Amino acid sequence: MSVYGYIGRDNAGRHKKGYIEAETPKAARIALQSQGILTKSIKPTSITNAFKTEARARFYGETGMLLSSGFTIEQALNLLIDEAKEGTEAPLLILKSRILSGENLSTAIAATVNHLPGFENAALITAEETGTQGQMLTKLAEFLESDKSIREKVKSALIYPCLVLILAFGLMALMTFVILPKAMAMFPAGAAPKSAALLATVAPVVMALSIISVVCIAVTIAILATQARKGGDAAIRYEKFLLKLPLVKRLLPLLWASRFAGTMGLLLKAGLNPQSAVSPSGSATGSELITKLSNSAADDVVNGLPLSKAISFITPIAPHLAAWIGVGEKAGTLGEMLSKASDRARAEYEKILTRALSLLEPTLIAAVGAIVLLLALAVIRPMLDLTTKGA
């Protein structure tokens, strides 16, 4: 079966647009006619970015609940397709078509999303390999919804400072490239005050270097991030670089620890033994560095090393998990302790990020204000000199 998008009108002349499953375009047209829809155009649908983050979070949550209730993935998709709003069913139909053709859910979802996040893909694969799809999809929905909430907070916190920053750069450019040159043109060559001449020479160079620096930093980060998406050693180097940044080195380990502990807790509750759960839990963090260290830790556990000791060698997340795991091992409640550790790490992550965002806005505004003030004084002083000399 294939998925076709159509545009047409119903018997009442109302415009209709949507998707339908059929073997061929002709079969799709016939099926639509039986529903009273006269098609104007019909063509195969191939969506490479059908699932946005919000839609995937909703899909994971609903599908996880249905799978946990005993539905098969095909039954769950059929139910979700029936309940989908008109025009929004395309991703679900495509998933269903690919699954019926023999693909698993992780492969089907990856085909509908450009650059599916690594931790998300790893969690889907882990769920399939361990038979924990229902629980894992529900947990994945919680992760995505939490991440979306945090991204919204970041965007909201950055809007005003960015507008102020843009305005400040515009004002600086106006002073540097328009006002000052016009003022300098009022005097014969060599007759302008030294402070004005110096500013007229230095300010454009500083502005140009600032712009070039910002562009170079942005391009460098973009290149590093692109290389990191390819995985392997490049991704590990990029993550190690991030772990050297002041705020990021506190936030990333907490995020990785939350995902690691949450995934491992689910796997242990599903019946996996610790040595089998370490590697997939590391992969579910989405970090190449944690994945590599987790594979080594899994080997250590197989060779008889206690889990808490092996986790201590996963240095980025060890401070947030090793003690919890040690207590869980001794008390025989490892799964529950991992779940609590995951919640604790996530809460700490959100607390630090919220606090940083609350400080970011006034800090940026103060910095921009200071820069504008210094520039204004630097421009006003020569203007006063020019006025005095002109008098």
Side-chain angles (χ1 to χ4, degrees):
M1 297 286 281
S2 299
V3 179
Y4 296 90
Y6 68 86
I7 298 175
R9 294 187 180 277
D10 61 14
N11 292 332
R14 292 187 295 265
H15 178 77
K16 304 292 287 186
K17 180 180 180 181
Y19 303 89
I20 188 171
E21 285 183 290
E23 294 288 349
T24 64
K26 181 178 180 180
R29 196 179 300 274
I30 292 172
L32 289 169
Q33 286 177 349
S34 67
Q35 300 174 24
I37 299 175
L38 181 63
T39 54
K40 180 180 179 181
S41 68
I42 186 166
K43 57 184 179 180
T45 298
S46 178
I47 301 177
T48 57
N49 195 21
F51 262 169
K52 302 296 183 182
T53 302
E54 185 176 356
R56 292 201 310 277
R58 185 169 58 253
F59 168 77
Y60 293 146
E62 294 173 347
T63 305
M65 290 175 58
L66 291 172
L67 293 179
S68 297
S69 299
F71 287 77
T72 65
I73 186 64
E74 293 84 359
Q75 291 171 334
L77 283 169
N78 285 331
L79 183 58
L80 294 177
I81 290 168
D82 291 340
E83 297 296 326
K85 295 181 180 179
E86 185 175 351
T88 64
E89 70 274 24
L92 299 174
L93 289 170
I94 292 172
L95 284 180
K96 178 183 174 183
S97 176
R98 300 183 77 97
I99 288 173
L100 290 177
S101 68
E103 293 184 2
N104 52 35
L105 182 61
S106 60
T107 304
I109 289 178
T112 65
V113 180
N114 287 332
H115 306 302
L116 184 69
F119 88 92
E120 194 174 328
N121 187 53
L124 291 170
I125 293 173
T126 298
E128 291 165 349
E129 293 176 347
T130 58
T132 58
Q133 271 193 316
Q135 303 95 313
M136 190 69 77
L137 289 177
T138 302
K139 193 70 174 179
L140 196 52
E142 294 174 4
F143 284 157
L144 292 183
E145 288 169 357
S146 178
D147 286 347
K148 179 178 180 295
S149 175
I150 290 172
R151 283 196 301 272
E152 292 298 325
K153 289 180 182 178
V154 172
K155 290 179 182 178
S156 299
L158 289 179
I159 288 175
Y160 184 65
C162 285
L163 290 176
V164 174
L165 192 61
I166 292 171
L167 180 61
F169 265 101
L171 182 59
M172 291 162 63
L174 179 66
M175 290 180 175
T176 302
F177 298 113
V178 178
I179 296 177
L180 188 57
K182 286 185 177 181
M184 292 293 294
M186 296 170 58
F187 294 86
K194 292 182 179 180
S195 59
L198 179 63
L199 182 62
T201 302
V202 173
V205 176
V206 172
M207 283 291 295
L209 289 176
S210 299
I211 294 172
I212 292 172
S213 298
V214 170
V215 171
C216 289
I217 292 172
V219 170
T220 300
I221 292 175
I223 291 173
L224 289 173
T226 301
Q227 290 295 320
R229 290 196 190 100
K230 298 178 181 179
D233 292 338
I236 292 175
R237 287 194 298 270
Y238 179 63
E239 289 170 1
K240 287 182 177 179
F241 164 74
L242 292 178
L243 290 174
K244 295 178 182 178
L245 303 179
L247 180 61
V248 179
K249 70 181 181 181
R250 294 186 64 193
L251 289 173
L252 268 184
L254 285 168
L255 181 62
W256 291 338
S258 176
R259 291 173 177 172
F260 182 97
T263 302
M264 190 170 184
L266 285 176
L267 296 178
L268 293 179
K269 290 177 183 178
L272 267 72
N273 53 46
Q275 56 264 40
S276 300
V278 173
S279 289
S281 299
S283 299
T285 62
S287 163
E288 290 287 339
L289 175 61
I290 301 300
T291 299
K292 181 179 179 180
L293 294 175
S294 296
N295 292 336
S296 298
D299 293 337
D300 292 336
V301 174
V302 170
N303 292 329
L305 193 69
L307 179 61
S308 57
K309 183 64 176 178
I311 295 298
S312 68
F313 295 122
I314 310 178
T315 49
I317 64 174
H320 309 292
L321 296 182
W324 290 84
I325 291 174
V327 172
E329 284 181 309
K330 294 176 181 177
T333 57
L334 186 56
E336 290 79 0
M337 293 302 291
L338 282 166
S339 296
K340 291 180 180 179
S342 175
D343 294 339
R344 179 69 177 270
R346 189 75 188 194
E348 185 70 12
Y349 169 80
E350 294 182 2
K351 183 182 75 174
I352 293 173
L353 185 58
T354 300
R355 185 179 299 166
L357 291 176
S358 66
L359 294 174
L360 176 63
E361 182 173 337
T363 301
L364 279 179
I365 292 174
V368 169
I371 293 171
V372 172
L373 177 62
L374 290 174
L375 183 62
L377 291 175
V379 172
I380 291 172
R381 175 61 185 274
M383 295 299 102
L384 293 174
D385 291 344
L386 289 172
T387 304
T388 303
K389 187 169 183 176

